[in-house]
């Protein structure tokens, strides 16, 4: 016994350092690749941020990659005043918030009927929502334009809210239905025993349990709507109704927009979406982790 034990205990100790030595080069290669990818993603944002605080003369003399000689705020101020950017921010915020809330509510109702209620033809309904989610926006332009004209909603934020609520809820319904199809039946049976109806079961049991998934949907709906450009460009022709992406796109061809003012406009346009993402980053992490654990 005493002769065997030392040989058994020494074998792992001799092989473990060798395994670590073989892993170290791989780790460094992966780390280097991730750093390069990070630079590729963050580099353009840093260039935009640097040029947003340069004067036109500084930009012309030193180029786009140089550090500003002094902080130049006139580009941001001029752009803000020229396009009434405060109004554009409010339009984008109220539109994105309304779409996110209404889209999540509509997705919950649809998925509850399809995933838990198991209505007849649920597979065909899911196929319909999947196809609707895959349709390009260019296909929807003329029918939506005609309907909005007939309904008197053209050139109004209400039209954008209705359109994107339906579009986003198609994706939300498809996703939530797969989640609710695997919802624990024990909780539903316990709610039924306590005398809860379908409506009360939905809002007191199903929605709280699926809270992390709903938070992820809300965040995605808000950011997706904030970044939408094509349909708002067509349906919001008045300057007072334009959103942030439309205001930025319209001014890209303005001959009065120099490189520093363009960088300032891009920086101001992306900062709200980044702040929203950072604020709800923990919510996204919890939602994704909850889905992985489930």
């Amino acid at each position: 016994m005493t002769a065997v034990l030392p040989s058994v205990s020494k074998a792992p100790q001799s092989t473990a350092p060798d395994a670590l030595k073989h892993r170290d080069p791989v780790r460094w290669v992966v780390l280097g690749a991730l750093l390069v990818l990070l630079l590729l993603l963050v580099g353009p944002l840093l260039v935009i941020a640097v040029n947003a605080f340069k004067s036109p003369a500084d930009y012309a003399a030193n180029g786009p990659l140089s550090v500003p000689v002094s902080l130049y705020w006139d580009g941001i101020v001029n752009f803000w005043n020229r396009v009434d950017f405060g109004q554009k921010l409010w339009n984008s915020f109220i539109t994105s918030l309304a779409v996110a809330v209404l889209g999540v509510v509509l997705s919950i109702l649809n998925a509850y009927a399809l995933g838990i209620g198991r209505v007849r033809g649920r597979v065909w309904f899911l196929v319909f929502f999947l196809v609707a989610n895959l349709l390009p926006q260019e296909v929807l332009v003329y029918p939506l334009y005609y309907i909005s004209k007939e309904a008197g909603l053209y050139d109004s934020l209400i039209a954008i809210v209705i359109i994107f609520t339906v579009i986003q809820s198609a994706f939300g319904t498809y996703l939530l239905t797969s989640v609710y199809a695997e919802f624990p039946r024990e909780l539903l049976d316990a709610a039924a025993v306590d005398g809860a109806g379908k409506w009360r079961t939905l809002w007191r049991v199903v929605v709280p349990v699926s809270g992390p998934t709903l938070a992820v949907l809300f965040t995605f709906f808000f950011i997706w709507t904030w970044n939408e450009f094509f349909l708002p460009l067509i349906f919001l022709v008045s300057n007072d109704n334009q959103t942030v992406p439309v205001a930025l796109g319209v001014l890209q061809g303005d001959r009065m927009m120099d490189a520093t003012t363009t960088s300032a406009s891009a920086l101001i346009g992306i900062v709200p979406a980044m702040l929203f993402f950072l604020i709800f980053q923990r919510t996204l992490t919890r939602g994704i982790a909850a889905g992985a654990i489930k």
Side-chain angles (χ1 to χ4, degrees):
M1 294 294 292
T2 56
V4 175
L5 288 177
S7 62
V8 175
S9 60
K10 289 182 180 179
Q13 294 179 358
S14 61
T15 57
D18 294 336
L20 292 176
K21 290 180 180 180
H22 288 296
R23 287 181 182 178
D24 287 340
V26 177
R27 291 180 179 178
W28 284 110
V29 171
V30 173
L31 181 60
L34 292 177
L35 289 176
V36 171
L37 181 61
L38 179 63
L39 290 176
L40 292 176
L41 294 176
V42 180
L45 298 178
L46 293 178
V47 173
I48 291 175
V50 168
N51 290 322
F53 296 99
K54 284 182 183 179
S55 65
D58 186 7
Y59 181 88
N62 301 319
L65 300 180
S66 61
V67 179
V69 176
S70 60
L71 293 180
Y72 180 79
W73 296 93
D74 290 347
I76 296 177
V77 174
N78 293 336
F79 172 76
W80 188 285
N81 296 330
R82 182 184 298 182
V83 301
D84 191 12
F85 200 73
Q87 181 65 39
K88 305 301 186 297
L89 281 175
W90 173 251
N91 293 340
S92 290
F93 176 78
I94 195 66
T95 302
S96 302
L97 181 63
V99 170
V101 173
L102 295 176
V104 169
V105 172
L106 187 57
S107 300
I108 291 173
L109 296 177
N110 293 336
Y112 183 67
L114 296 175
I116 295 179
R118 300 299 179 92
V119 298
R120 291 184 178 181
R122 60 184 297 270
V123 176
W124 294 107
F125 280 108
L126 290 178
V127 171
F128 170 78
F129 283 114
L130 178 60
V131 173
N133 189 59
L134 295 177
L135 285 176
Q137 294 183 357
E138 291 78 5
V139 178
L140 305 174
V141 168
Y142 182 76
L144 293 176
Y145 174 82
Y146 179 79
I147 294 174
S148 64
K149 278 284 190 179
E150 292 294 323
L153 296 177
Y154 184 72
D155 193 19
S156 68
L157 296 178
I158 298 178
I160 294 299
V161 170
I162 295 175
I163 291 171
F164 283 119
T165 296
V166 175
I167 293 176
Q168 309 291 23
S169 63
F171 172 81
T173 300
Y174 183 79
L175 176 65
L176 278 181
T177 300
S178 62
V179 175
Y180 287 170
E182 303 296 331
F183 196 85
R185 291 290 168 180
E186 295 80 5
L187 297 178
L188 301 177
D189 295 338
V193 170
D194 292 339
K198 294 183 178 180
W199 188 257
R200 188 176 179 182
T201 301
L202 171 62
W203 297 111
R204 294 294 182 88
V205 178
V206 176
V207 171
V209 172
S210 58
T213 304
L214 299 180
V216 172
L217 278 182
F218 176 84
T219 306
F220 282 164
F221 288 173
F222 187 95
I223 296 177
W224 290 345
T225 306
W226 182 282
N227 292 330
E228 285 291 345
F229 172 75
F230 182 67
L231 290 180
L233 177 65
I234 296 174
F235 286 88
L236 302 177
V237 294
S238 299
N239 185 55
D240 294 337
N241 294 328
Q242 290 179 350
T243 57
V244 171
V246 176
L248 297 178
V250 170
L251 288 177
Q252 291 301 317
D254 192 347
R255 59 188 179 86
M256 298 298 293
M257 292 278 287
D258 52 64
T260 56
T261 306
T262 303
S263 299
S265 65
L267 179 64
I268 296 176
I270 198 175
V271 163
M274 293 180 63
L275 290 177
F276 182 85
F277 180 81
L278 292 176
I279 292 173
F280 287 91
Q281 182 180 9
R282 182 172 297 180
T283 303
L284 286 172
T285 304
R286 290 177 179 175
I288 295 173
I293 294 173
K294 182 178 178 180

